[in-house]
Amino acid sequence: MGIKLKFNNIQKHFFGVTALDGVSFEIEEKHTVGLIGENGAGKSTLMNILGGVLLPDGGNMSLDGDAYLPSNPRDAAQRGVAFIHQELNLFTNLSIAENIYINSFPSLKKTPLIDKKKMNDSLKSLLKSLDLNYSPSTTVENLAPGERQLVEIAKALHSDAFLIIFDEPTTSLTARETEKLFTILDQLRSEGRTIIYISHILGEVKRITDDVIVLRDGKVTGNSETGLIEIPEMINQMVGRESDNLFPERSAKPKDSPILEVKSLSQPGIVGNVDFSVHEGEVLGVFGLMGSGRTEMARMLFGVDTYRSGSISIDGTPLPRNSPQSSIERGMAFVTENRREEGLLMNVAITENIGLVSLPDYCRNLVKWVDAKRMNEEAGIIGDSLKLKASDIRRQPAMSLSGGNQQKVVIGKWLMTKPRLLIMDEPTRGIDVGAKYEVYSIMDRLAADNSGILFISSEVEELIGIADRIVVMSQGEVVKVFEKKDFDVTALMAAAFREAVA
Amino acid sequence: MKDRNWQRFILKNTTFILFVLLFLIFGILAPRFLSFKNLEIILSNSSYIGIIAVGMTFVLLTGGIDLSVGSTMYLSAVSSGTLIAAGWPIAPTIAVSLLIGIAMGYVNALIITRLKIVPFLATLVTMTVGRGMGLFVTKSVQVDFPDSITLMSTVKVFGFIPLQIFIFGLVVILAMVFLRLTKSGRQLYAVGNDPLAAERAGIQTRPLITSTYVISGFFAALGGFISITQIGRVSAGFGSGDEFDAIAAAVLGGASLMGGVGSVFPGTVLGTVMIQMIQAGLVYTAVDIYLHPIVMSLIIFFAVLLDSVRTGQLKKMERRTIMKITS
Amino acid sequence: GSDKADDGITIAFCFQDLETEFWVAGHSAITNTLEAQGIKVIEKNANEDANRQLEQVKDVIVQGVDGVIIIPQDGESAVTIAKECNSAGVPIGVFNRPPADKSADALVVVANNEAIAEQAVEYIAQEAMKLGRKVTPAIMVGDLGDPNAVGRRKGFYNVIDKYPDLWTGAPIEIPTKWDSNTALANLQSAMQANPDIDFLFTSSDFLYPVIKSVLAPLGKWQKIGDDSHILLAGLDGDKTACSLQKDGYVDATGVQDVYAEAQMLLDAMLAAIEKGEKTPNEWLYDDGFALTQANMGEREMDMWGCKILAGE
Amino acid sequence: MSKVDQLNTGRVGNVKILGRKILLSEFFVLYLTVFYLLVLFPFIPRVFSPYNIKNVLSNTWPLLVIAIGQTFVLITAGIDLSQTSVMALSSIFGAVIMTSEADPALLSKSPLWGIMLSDKGGLFAGTSAALPVGLLVMMAIGIMIGLINGFSVAKLRMPPFIVTLVSQMFFAAVAIWLSKSENIRHLPESFSRLGRGNFGPIPIALIIAVIIAVSAHLLMSRTLYGRRLYATGINPRAARISGVPTTKIIIAAYALSGFCAAVGGILYSARLEQGRPTLGNTLLLDIIGANVIGGISLAGGKGKVLWTVFGVVFFIFLSNTLNLLNLKFFVIDIVKGLVILLAAILDVVRSQLALRYSGGKV
Ligand SMILES: Nc1ncnc2c1ncn2[C@@H]1O[C@H](COP(=O)(O)OP(=O)(O)OP(=O)(O)O)[C@@H](O)[C@H]1O
Ligand SMILES: Nc1ncnc2c1ncn2[C@@H]1O[C@H](COP(=O)(O)OP(=O)(O)OP(=O)(O)O)[C@@H](O)[C@H]1O
Ligand SMILES: [Mg+2]
Ligand SMILES: [Mg+2]
């Protein structure tokens, strides 16, 4: 088999940060290659160069044996390279079909008009194969994040590219969708396409790739056949040290006194009769399939969305409806699942982002003078404790961080409020193993300090690893609450599918 | 279920329903208002600003703005006036004046896409310079147009459609087809929604943005010409302030200044015609002229309020239902 | 503030805009007369902004002009600007719109909008009486923020109120905002809503092309004497009005004599500069007149528009 | 850059560094204005005469105050087109309260006649309370209109452009209707002093403008409100979830804009010594233009008071010099447009350089 793609000494610097420092490796044709590395290791940057989004500062590439240097995404597409970005790249005001066909609309019998029927018909089976049960003419605005990610995938599958890049495609997908995606990847491979697959979930990488490339600080630190390398070794190559524990030991046991009590919360069509409580020192996991209503429930709890009936109380006192501000005053914190749109002020400095929620705590006197110095210091400390990888956190905008580090900023801004109850919606999505461990440790520390944590996740393993109890939701209702002793992957999955629950 | 569909229908068409209601209310207050002739007059008086507003919609869709349309109208009208006075035949004169519109649009586009100057400033510049150049030509003296031009406003296409309404209709249909059914049209929405993502998706944003300003300039010149056929005279203030009317019509029709949202039909057309209709209604019902703008702005405010309530309600209705519908 | 190096006289001419023929005529009357006498003219256009005009006048004072002539946006701002000139010791002439009061010293030429409108409308009233039936009057009102428009509307109403029995009802008011397109739309609506309108007064002559384009398709653009003729009167006295009146479409035109006004003002101004007066104070009156079908013979050449027409 | 490097690059390098510093400086628009004036100086030496400087500055203050109000709204990604009618309406109300005589021939048709206005003047005619009450009412009107705008935008979720366009139409018409198109004169001397008087050697208008500019600057850059204002402008959804009361922030921004417009209206009315129903109706593009030239983004989240100040100064000097140059009126438009274009181009070059060099520093 020939060489599909060759990187030779690729360099890329941003504002003094070295993102790629002489990256060289080759990818064999028809292989599926895993690309792994810590947050900020340079994976997305390398792919952006490959996809024509960025130009390298030095080095060269060759594709199919010819020199290759795309100056924009169109060039890349013409050379048969398709790219599913880490950040969703969809037009929310257009339909699914239009997003997929955005650059290749079929025309109606030699007129300049679009053949809508053809376009929509041709996609029906594709969407079905992805379990995306929407008409192709549905506007993307109406889709949940996970569903949007499926559209991105559909977009790449639909192109006839022979080199397809997946940059963390499963971050918004649950187990079932991920399985689906893997079947599709298999199919692509059998069609003879070459795939680059970036993920922080090393199990996935181990399972589906032929080769693994490891990046650390912009350099290649590992390059081997997947069969010849085990996960601990991958981690070793990624972080430069051994690590056997994926989850920290829980340092304290939950108390009996409840912090959050939710009683028959309902909103017609969305959630119904949700009852549960989070206790002091407890990590309460929430599991469910995509679209099971976990996010919506969390948003109601925090006061972002309205609900029709039921009660939410913190420390025994009911919470006013629909006011994130008073939720925060009562000690709640909320890491949303959508960091780009709801988590960060993208072009604002990192410290400002971290300080945003706790601003009132750094204000003096009547005019609410902000003590910027003190705030920046504290934000810096939080940043350090999260091992945030940035060159100058007072000036650098959040936008310039790697995906995982952005997530850390979001978590950081809530940690700064020293929350009593922290709601985390898919907080480990897109962050590397090391950072995940840190997030779990943070949860543990908070719990040990008597805070409560509501931890929404689609990864059963991490819930089992860190939660004290797990609530399983399906179709907007709480199906079952599992005690720690009953934790079991199959039982949890079964509950999520509502099998044998009755 | 039926109920819900009705609700949805009403919500989707509130602006149109309000339009019809207003028409009826004015009709009750002044029965002559309900005539076919009146409708024709309203449409005919909407056409020139409507055409400009259609062009403006294109620009707004990409998140831009075109303040120069009023000056473009003036400059191109002044040129055609000068050419006619110099003895040019009508057809090439019209062609030249439209070309001037295209040229102004192209200059806007160059300043915006090549020099990377924000649309507001870029078109503010062409607005002042354009007006200055027009004044340079006329020395502020009004330009009168011969009957051969003004008689065009009485031409009926197919024997019953007034020329200006016909052209307006044509512009609307073409624009609608372009925006809804062509590749460039859909890509325009994409660019307005997220320019960075559009770039990444491989869309050629620069020619697209250029085209919107060219279209806007062209329609400004065309609208200006339609206006001349109706009023026969171009004085130094011709077109000034029309940029705001055009933007207002488009925004009333639902276009967003942030880009990505808006439609030519019903949106902008309804916005334009609605303003014209209220204006006519106020004259029909003989409201004290000091109160005209007051009543007009209250009605527009109400229309926009209704629209935002409706959008909120629609969003709520279209929220996905997660729970299984039991029973 | 005259620190000028050369001996020539410099006069600043600050006008508020040149959007209609009337203002263009006023502008050329003043500049041509001045330049013919070898006087240097600095021109400033305030684009209908009283404040900008104040700023421009201050700017020309800085330049050490010998005199300032303004066409103010309105009477009140004229007072303020005149005071500015008084304190700088520069003679000021105010053209066409009189200062609201006499607290500042200025050379003022006044045309009385209200009176002129009244004269024109009075003629129509007399004509209407001859018809032996009631007449339905309508007025095209200018921009309500412009004092000229308001004065003309008042003059119109003075006559309407004087002959209450002559009219079928209250006049129909048609807003124009001094904008042709608005005027077109509203006149069309008004004619549709009140097909029996048979007397139309336009607050400015510049709207005649619009009036024609609305009335013609209705068959109402007819010469005097025709049964469907609508009594027409306007105000300004421009070229179009003159030719329409000659052709027998327009019954009467309120005229302010822009040339005579310019001459009066300039004479007074130059005399003051000659004498070294810094704050001359004198009011000169132009009562205007109405050029009607009845007095066309004698007074035609007193209307500036007719002079322009004849000159072409 | 190390010391040795600096020595080696020598004078050429120093000039380059200075050039770069100027280009990258926040004061760029100010430097640009100064440069522009220096270029013009040989042609119009009067530009630096004390009278002219005084004149230019006196034109600056009111516009500055109004433009700063606009800045608040622009930062929220909104726009306030109603500022001009705030000026007009507050001008009329202030005059109605303060005027010492009203001519029945002119004003008896006003809806306020007999209620707030008679031939003896306004409600507080001639009393010492006239000035303070008049000023308070004027500012209250500005704030009130701002609150209505803000409420419609933030609470009723209506688009800012159309909301403020409608309120511009509405309140401008109300001002004209209430005064039946007439200007109202005979305002107290103490009021006119605000526009043209001095406090010692310093014009009162300057003091007012500086107080407002400095407070606005501090408010935006140092206080909780300011931080939250930017956050709201950049990403309202993220801000709301982070506990920023975005609704209140936006409403306050519009109220501030209305307030500033009213203060501008006070200064302009005082200068013209009259209540004018059409005050400021042509000022809108200057207000927004000065902001945009200063670098404030219409897309929200970006801007500083200092930038607005420079933008206003640039605009005022531009029209002042064009006046002094004695160009034909139609040439003025052309030149004005081209100078703005040039300034805008330089600003683009500048921000691109800034992007490039900010990397060098870290
Ligand atoms: N536009 C940019 N401006 C400045 N720095 C950038 C930019 N893009 C990336 N970087 C920096 O380059 C480095 C590599 O980032 P990259 O996004 O490639 O990481 P990654 O491996 O994809 O991480 P993750 O797993 O978190 O997505 C990081 O330090 C990041 O901060
Ligand atoms: N039709 C829709 N219109 C707008 N937003 C929607 C719609 N459907 C879902 N969403 C949004 O998508 C998000 C996810 O929805 P939901 O809560 O049902 O999923 P979940 O159980 O959290 O699973 P996941 O987060 O994995 O998608 C929520 O923020 C919700 O508001
Ligand atoms: Mg990445
Ligand atoms: Mg979710």
Side-chain angles (χ1 to χ4, degrees), chain D residues 195-231:
Chain D
R196 29 204 324 136
N198 286 336
F199 186 80
I202 308 167
I204 295 175
L206 178 154
I207 299 174
I208 294 176
V210 167
I211 290 176
I212 289 195
V214 170
S215 346
H217 170 73
L218 293 178
L219 184 62
M220 266 186 218
S221 61
R222 299 288 162 81
T223 67
L224 180 62
Y225 176 75
R227 301 281 174 123
R228 289 181 155 179
L229 180 72
Y230 286 101

Side-chain angles (χ1 to χ4, degrees), chain C residues 32-283:
Chain C
N32 293 345
T33 319
L34 286 173
E35 275 162 4
Q37 304 188 18
I39 293 166
K40 193 173 159 229
V41 187
I42 297 174
E43 289 178 49
K44 296 288 170 236
N45 185 346
N47 284 319
E48 304 184 28
D49 184 336
N51 216 5
R52 184 173 303 153
Q53 187 161 57
L54 176 61
E55 292 169 8
Q56 287 174 336
V57 169
K58 288 174 166 184
D59 285 340
V60 296
I61 293 174
V62 174
Q63 298 180 49
V65 295
D66 300 280
V68 175
I69 293 174
I70 59 169
I71 302 179
Q73 181 66 19
D74 51 52
E76 284 73 15
S77 57
V79 176
T80 315
I81 292 174
K83 281 185 180 164
E84 191 70 40
C85 290
N86 290 167
S87 65
V90 178
I92 173 155
V94 181
F95 189 72
N96 190 273
R97 288 180 179 130
D101 61 44
K102 302 195 174 180
S103 60
D105 291 337
L107 298 168
V108 180
V109 185
V110 194
N112 189 335
N113 277 299
E114 191 173 336
I116 296 172
E118 219 175 293
Q119 293 178 51
V121 179
E122 177 68 39
Y123 173 79
I124 302 284
Q126 298 305 328
E127 289 298 296
M129 276 176 223
K130 291 181 201 153
L131 294 175
R133 60 176 159 90
K134 291 198 173 198
V135 167
T136 307
I139 172 172
M140 301 183 73
V141 184
D143 186 329
L144 290 171
D146 174 12
N148 278 351
V150 178
R152 291 167 193 190
R153 179 169 175 257
K154 266 188 201 146
F156 172 82
Y157 269 98
N158 290 347
V159 179
I160 296 289
D161 295 344
K162 190 165 152 196
Y163 305 105
D165 299 332
L166 193 52
W167 323 110
T168 52
I172 289 121
E173 293 201 296
I174 303 162
T176 71
K177 300 183 194 150
W178 286 151
D179 172 66
S180 299
N181 285 301
T182 312
L184 176 80
N186 289 337
L187 181 58
Q188 265 179 350
S189 299
M191 292 308 295
Q192 209 58 37
N194 314 279
D196 46 351
I197 288 177
D198 48 6
F199 161 33
L200 184 61
F201 174 71
T202 168
S203 296
S204 169
D205 288 346
F206 90 95
L207 290 170
Y208 276 126
V210 169
I211 295 173
K212 180 182 169 190
S213 87
V214 174
L215 295 188
L218 298 173
K220 294 185 174 175
W221 182 253
Q222 302 295 353
K223 294 189 177 183
I224 295 161
D226 190 291
D227 273 350
S228 343
H229 170 71
I230 289 188
L231 293 165
L232 270 183
L235 202 149
D236 276 345
D238 72 10
K239 195 175 74 184
T240 315
C242 180
S243 71
L244 288 177
Q245 195 158 339
K246 278 185 164 174
D247 294 345
Y249 288 100
V250 169
D251 295 85
T253 305
V255 186
Q256 31 183 335
D257 192 343
V258 72
Y259 291 122
E261 287 179 16
Q263 198 59 52
M264 276 194 270
L265 182 60
L266 293 182
D267 288 346
M269 171 71 76
L270 293 175
I273 294 175
E274 198 84 335
K275 279 186 258 164
E277 282 181 52
K278 292 200 184 304
T279 56
N281 189 21
E282 192 182 350
W283 283 51

Side-chain angles (χ1 to χ4, degrees), chain A residues 47-194:
Chain A
M47 292 304 109
N48 278 330
I49 290 172
L50 182 56
V53 179
L54 293 172
L55 281 175
D57 296 341
N60 53 57
M61 296 178 276
S62 66
L63 185 68
D64 299 323
D66 303 324
Y68 172 72
L69 184 68
S71 53
N72 56 47
R74 227 169 323 120
D75 288 354
Q78 269 160 13
R79 293 288 296 270
V81 176
F83 190 176
I84 303 171
H85 290 267
Q86 182 173 9
E87 300 293 348
L88 293 181
N89 208 33
L90 296 174
F91 306 104
T92 49
N93 58 349
L94 299 183
S95 72
I96 297 176
E98 285 169 337
N99 266 287
I100 292 174
Y101 274 102
I102 191 71
N103 242 334
S104 57
F105 286 109
S107 57
L108 195 67
K109 294 181 207 124
K110 292 193 182 131
T111 58
L113 303 184
I114 296 170
D115 190 342
K116 283 206 170 174
K117 193 166 146 23
K118 186 172 162 196
M119 186 167 79
N120 289 342
D121 288 350
S122 73
L123 289 179
K124 280 198 180 120
S125 59
L126 175 63
L127 296 189
K128 214 174 169 89
S129 75
L130 283 169
D131 261 357
L132 198 55
N133 294 321
Y134 285 99
S135 139
S137 57
T138 313
T139 312
V140 168
E141 197 174 27
N142 296 331
L143 304 183
E147 294 162 344
R148 292 182 191 188
Q149 197 154 25
L150 290 177
V151 176
E152 278 277 12
I153 292 169
K155 203 164 133 188
L157 296 184
H158 182 262
S159 78
D160 42 13
F162 267 77
L163 176 62
I164 307 180
I165 307 164
F166 291 89
D167 195 349
E168 303 191 31
T170 57
T171 46
S172 310
L173 304 185
T174 49
R176 203 158 63 122
E177 281 78 27
T178 308
E179 284 305 321
K180 204 86 207 169
L181 175 67
F182 289 171
T183 334
I184 290 163
L185 286 178
D186 276 342
Q187 187 194 331
L188 289 175
R189 196 178 355 202
S190 65
E191 288 168 7
R193 311 209 207 197
T194 311

